[in-house]
PDB file of all heavy atoms in Angstrom:
ATOM      1  N   LYS H  40      24.053   6.244   7.817  1.00  0.00           N
ATOM      2  CA  LYS H  40      24.880   6.838   6.766  1.00  0.00           C
ATOM      3  C   LYS H  40      25.645   5.781   5.962  1.00  0.00           C
ATOM      4  O   LYS H  40      25.587   5.800   4.715  1.00  0.00           O
ATOM      5  CB  LYS H  40      25.835   7.881   7.351  1.00  0.00           C
ATOM      6  CG  LYS H  40      26.621   8.598   6.258  1.00  0.00           C
ATOM      7  CD  LYS H  40      27.559   9.643   6.821  1.00  0.00           C
ATOM      8  CE  LYS H  40      28.382  10.287   5.714  1.00  0.00           C
ATOM      9  NZ  LYS H  40      29.340  11.282   6.248  1.00  0.00           N
ATOM     10  N   PRO H  41      26.367   4.855   6.624  1.00  0.00           N
ATOM     11  CA  PRO H  41      27.069   3.855   5.802  1.00  0.00           C
ATOM     12  C   PRO H  41      26.135   3.006   4.961  1.00  0.00           C
ATOM     13  O   PRO H  41      26.469   2.641   3.822  1.00  0.00           O
ATOM     14  CB  PRO H  41      27.831   3.002   6.826  1.00  0.00           C
ATOM     15  CG  PRO H  41      27.265   3.342   8.155  1.00  0.00           C
ATOM     16  CD  PRO H  41      26.710   4.716   8.058  1.00  0.00           C
ATOM     17  N   ALA H  42      24.936   2.703   5.477  1.00  0.00           N
ATOM     18  CA  ALA H  42      23.986   1.907   4.693  1.00  0.00           C
ATOM     19  C   ALA H  42      23.494   2.690   3.484  1.00  0.00           C
ATOM     20  O   ALA H  42      23.385   2.147   2.375  1.00  0.00           O
ATOM     21  CB  ALA H  42      22.810   1.488   5.567  1.00  0.00           C
ATOM     22  N   ILE H  43      23.187   3.969   3.681  1.00  0.00           N
ATOM     23  CA  ILE H  43      22.714   4.795   2.569  1.00  0.00           C
ATOM     24  C   ILE H  43      23.801   4.925   1.506  1.00  0.00           C
ATOM     25  O   ILE H  43      23.531   4.811   0.299  1.00  0.00           O
ATOM     26  CB  ILE H  43      22.260   6.174   3.086  1.00  0.00           C
ATOM     27  CG1 ILE H  43      20.945   6.025   3.876  1.00  0.00           C
ATOM     28  CG2 ILE H  43      22.068   7.157   1.938  1.00  0.00           C
ATOM     29  CD1 ILE H  43      20.519   7.274   4.609  1.00  0.00           C
ATOM     30  N   MET H  44      25.035   5.136   1.934  1.00  0.00           N
ATOM     31  CA  MET H  44      26.130   5.272   0.969  1.00  0.00           C
ATOM     32  C   MET H  44      26.363   3.958   0.215  1.00  0.00           C
ATOM     33  O   MET H  44      26.587   3.959  -1.006  1.00  0.00           O
ATOM     34  CB  MET H  44      27.409   5.711   1.681  1.00  0.00           C
ATOM     35  CG  MET H  44      27.290   7.034   2.444  1.00  0.00           C
ATOM     36  SD  MET H  44      26.629   8.399   1.453  1.00  0.00           S
ATOM     37  CE  MET H  44      28.011   8.684   0.345  1.00  0.00           C
ATOM     38  N   GLU H  45      26.291   2.838   0.935  1.00  0.00           N
ATOM     39  CA  GLU H  45      26.443   1.537   0.286  1.00  0.00           C
ATOM     40  C   GLU H  45      25.291   1.287  -0.684  1.00  0.00           C
ATOM     41  O   GLU H  45      25.488   0.757  -1.791  1.00  0.00           O
ATOM     42  CB  GLU H  45      26.505   0.425   1.335  1.00  0.00           C
ATOM     43  CG  GLU H  45      26.734  -0.961   0.750  1.00  0.00           C
ATOM     44  CD  GLU H  45      26.762  -2.054   1.805  1.00  0.00           C
ATOM     45  OE1 GLU H  45      27.024  -1.757   2.986  1.00  0.00           O
ATOM     46  OE2 GLU H  45      26.512  -3.226   1.443  1.00  0.00           O
ATOM     47  N   GLY H  46      24.089   1.678  -0.267  1.00  0.00           N
ATOM     48  CA  GLY H  46      22.930   1.523  -1.147  1.00  0.00           C
ATOM     49  C   GLY H  46      23.073   2.342  -2.418  1.00  0.00           C
ATOM     50  O   GLY H  46      22.704   1.891  -3.511  1.00  0.00           O
ATOM     51  N   MET H  47      23.608   3.552  -2.284  1.00  0.00           N
ATOM     52  CA  MET H  47      23.863   4.380  -3.468  1.00  0.00           C
ATOM     53  C   MET H  47      24.825   3.696  -4.433  1.00  0.00           C
ATOM     54  O   MET H  47      24.607   3.682  -5.653  1.00  0.00           O
ATOM     55  CB  MET H  47      24.456   5.729  -3.048  1.00  0.00           C
ATOM     56  CG  MET H  47      23.479   6.725  -2.495  1.00  0.00           C
ATOM     57  SD  MET H  47      24.360   8.265  -2.166  1.00  0.00           S
ATOM     58  CE  MET H  47      23.082   9.164  -1.312  1.00  0.00           C
ATOM     59  N   ASP H  48      25.894   3.159  -3.876  1.00  0.00           N
ATOM     60  CA  ASP H  48      26.907   2.520  -4.730  1.00  0.00           C
ATOM     61  C   ASP H  48      26.319   1.355  -5.519  1.00  0.00           C
ATOM     62  O   ASP H  48      26.577   1.203  -6.720  1.00  0.00           O
ATOM     63  CB  ASP H  48      28.088   2.042  -3.875  1.00  0.00           C
ATOM     64  CG  ASP H  48      28.946   3.194  -3.370  1.00  0.00           C
ATOM     65  OD1 ASP H  48      28.867   4.294  -3.953  1.00  0.00           O
ATOM     66  OD2 ASP H  48      29.675   3.009  -2.375  1.00  0.00           O
ATOM     67  N   SER H  49      25.513   0.524  -4.844  1.00  0.00           N
ATOM     68  CA  SER H  49      24.922  -0.618  -5.549  1.00  0.00           C
ATOM     69  C   SER H  49      23.900  -0.158  -6.585  1.00  0.00           C
ATOM     70  O   SER H  49      23.776  -0.745  -7.668  1.00  0.00           O
ATOM     71  CB  SER H  49      24.274  -1.582  -4.551  1.00  0.00           C
ATOM     72  OG  SER H  49      23.166  -0.981  -3.901  1.00  0.00           O
ATOM     73  N   TYR H  50      23.183   0.908  -6.267  1.00  0.00           N
ATOM     74  CA  TYR H  50      22.210   1.475  -7.202  1.00  0.00           C
ATOM     75  C   TYR H  50      22.934   2.022  -8.435  1.00  0.00           C
ATOM     76  O   TYR H  50      22.477   1.846  -9.580  1.00  0.00           O
ATOM     77  CB  TYR H  50      21.431   2.575  -6.492  1.00  0.00           C
ATOM     78  CG  TYR H  50      20.109   2.967  -7.101  1.00  0.00           C
ATOM     79  CD1 TYR H  50      19.313   3.933  -6.479  1.00  0.00           C
ATOM     80  CD2 TYR H  50      19.628   2.399  -8.279  1.00  0.00           C
ATOM     81  CE1 TYR H  50      18.092   4.318  -7.008  1.00  0.00           C
ATOM     82  CE2 TYR H  50      18.405   2.772  -8.813  1.00  0.00           C
ATOM     83  CZ  TYR H  50      17.642   3.736  -8.177  1.00  0.00           C
ATOM     84  OH  TYR H  50      16.429   4.113  -8.701  1.00  0.00           O
ATOM     85  N   ARG H  51      24.076   2.678  -8.229  1.00  0.00           N
ATOM     86  CA  ARG H  51      24.864   3.205  -9.356  1.00  0.00           C
ATOM     87  C   ARG H  51      25.272   2.087 -10.318  1.00  0.00           C
ATOM     88  O   ARG H  51      25.245   2.262 -11.546  1.00  0.00           O
ATOM     89  CB  ARG H  51      26.113   3.912  -8.841  1.00  0.00           C
ATOM     90  CG  ARG H  51      25.884   5.289  -8.263  1.00  0.00           C
ATOM     91  CD  ARG H  51      27.196   5.994  -7.984  1.00  0.00           C
ATOM     92  NE  ARG H  51      26.963   7.324  -7.436  1.00  0.00           N
ATOM     93  CZ  ARG H  51      27.042   7.615  -6.137  1.00  0.00           C
ATOM     94  NH1 ARG H  51      27.386   6.665  -5.261  1.00  0.00           N
ATOM     95  NH2 ARG H  51      26.806   8.839  -5.713  1.00  0.00           N
TER      96      ARG H  51
END
Side-chain angles (χ1 to χ4, degrees):
K40 185 179 177 182
I43 289 171
M44 302 308 290
E45 183 181 338
M47 282 184 188
D48 288 340
S49 66
Y50 200 178
R51 283 189 180 100

